[in-house]
Amino acid sequence: MKPTTMFTSTFAALTIATGLAGAAAAQAYPEKPISMIVTWNPGGSTDVLARLLAEPLSKELGTPVAVTNMAGGGGSLGTQAALDAPKDGYTILATTSGNHVLTPLKNDVGYRYDDFEPIGQLVAASIILTVREDSPWQTLDDFIEAAKAEPGKYLFGAVPDVAPHLTLLALTNTAGIDVVHLPQQGGAPGATALLAGDIDLLPANAATVASSIKAGKMRGLAVFSAERDKAFPDIPTAKEQGYEVYGSPFVGLAVAKGVPDDVLETLKAAFDAVAQDPEFQARALKSASELTYLPAAEFGKVWERDWNTYAPMLQK
């Protein structure tokens, strides 16, 4: 064989071998355990969902997924840790509306929603605008008409600067009405205040008001989700009634930008498989809540929508 031919053949063989080695390395992910950071305390709703997800996700990926709680700073401590970790796909973030959108809008924490890549949404809680059962308002339009007729007369209760409060503010901005905010210490105290007649309206997570609605003590005027809540099919969405206002605190998975595309796609595929598995959905419903699954692209749109909705209220 001529030297040139030998060199060409050897070079081609090395090139192929290098390519195969690179492909094998890419396909090897994951080779070690994955850490799932939860930015809130153990035992909370996000922690429960994360631990419920970790086991089947481990099986799908073929490697352990260990939940690590890093609470503090309104969720920013754990979020920043996920952002600072090596961009190799071995650190994923169980992210929520609080740490991902509200905290960075309220405080300079060094990150934005779009510093991350979405993997998928697991849950989106419903926020329902409720009134007492003896309220004269039967529909959202009834309330808005009354509020326009008498600006500043009616009181609503909510914890300041969290999703129910901000969602109601978005409604007042959209509808062009003036209602007065009476701060509450939590969802349960707000429900008590509504039933006692201390406030006229209560925007609250569905779980907070579910028993009162089902007992006929409260009436829902609107749910601020893209679709009606299956647990309350008779309550129309705000959008159905002409007001495109959304408030659905989410829980899902994300990774910092910079993770290789093939690794990101592996994580997305594993999450999608678990989130759409009927057995996992049944377990989630039994021990946590009904899943509101969204794939990565749609989950990313929720981030952008919520950021743009709440930014005018929180960035002052």
Side-chain angles (χ1 to χ4, degrees):
M1 182 181 292
K2 294 181 179 180
T4 301
T5 305
M6 180 180 294
F7 174 79
T8 302
S9 300
T10 303
F11 179 78
L14 286 171
T15 301
I16 293 171
T18 301
L20 290 174
Q27 293 172 358
Y29 175 85
E31 296 179 303
K32 59 182 182 179
I34 294 170
S35 173
M36 182 193 298
I37 294 177
V38 172
T39 64
W40 309 103
N41 290 318
S45 59
T46 304
D47 181 67
V48 170
L49 279 168
R51 293 179 187 279
L52 191 70
L53 176 64
E55 181 183 351
L57 195 62
S58 297
K59 292 179 180 178
E60 191 69 30
L61 289 167
T63 196
V65 176
V67 173
T68 302
N69 295 87
M70 288 188 176
S76 64
L77 183 65
T79 308
Q80 190 64 53
L83 194 59
D84 292 341
K87 309 300 188 291
D88 54 10
Y90 289 101
T91 302
I92 59 180
L93 179 67
T95 198
T96 70
S97 299
N99 67 280
H100 204 101
V101 176
L102 301 184
T103 291
L105 282 174
K106 290 187 286 186
N107 304 289
D108 183 11
V109 292
Y111 65 84
R112 285 169 44 99
Y113 77 98
D114 48 8
D115 287 325
F116 293 85
E117 293 281 1
I119 295 175
Q121 176 180 283
L122 196 61
V123 166
S126 295
I127 293 177
I128 301 176
L129 180 59
T130 58
V131 296
R132 289 185 304 281
E133 55 84 22
D134 61 354
S135 169
W137 307 322
Q138 300 293 322
T139 67
L140 186 57
D141 275 333
D142 289 343
F143 155 62
I144 290 173
E145 183 179 342
K148 285 183 175 179
E150 298 183 274
K153 176 181 178 179
Y154 301 110
L155 301 176
F156 77 93
V159 177
D161 292 342
V162 297
H165 175 217
L166 298 173
T167 302
L168 200 283
L169 289 185
L171 175 66
T172 63
N173 292 338
T174 301
I177 56 176
D178 177 22
V179 293
V180 178
H181 176 215
L182 186 63
Q184 302 295 310
Q185 296 299 313
T192 299
L194 179 64
L195 293 172
D198 296 331
I199 55 177
D200 302 293
L201 306 110
L202 178 70
N205 288 350
T208 300
V209 295
S211 60
S212 293
I213 291 176
K214 291 177 180 178
K217 297 177 180 179
M218 294 182 189
R219 178 166 57 250
L221 298 185
V223 59
F224 295 101
S225 304
E227 299 178 357
R228 295 192 185 198
D229 190 306
K230 293 179 181 178
F232 304 97
D234 295 330
I235 303 177
T237 65
K239 182 181 179 181
E240 284 180 73
Q241 300 177 78
Y243 304 93
E244 195 160 351
V245 176
Y246 301 99
S248 300
F250 60 74
V251 178
L253 295 186
V255 289
K257 278 190 172 176
V259 170
D261 288 344
D262 58 322
V263 172
L264 182 58
E265 292 306 314
T266 296
L267 289 169
K268 288 179 183 178
F271 176 84
D272 291 349
V274 173
Q276 296 181 87
D277 178 61
E279 183 178 344
F280 174 70
Q281 292 173 354
R283 288 180 60 203
L285 185 60
K286 183 178 180 180
S287 62
S289 59
E290 181 181 10
L291 300 188
T292 317
Y293 159 76
L294 286 178
E298 295 302 312
F299 191 30
K301 291 177 183 178
V302 171
W303 294 358
E304 182 178 18
R305 181 199 73 195
D306 288 357
W307 186 275
N308 292 333
T309 296
Y310 299 137
M313 307 171 201
L314 295 174
Q315 289 184 326
K316 300 174 184 177

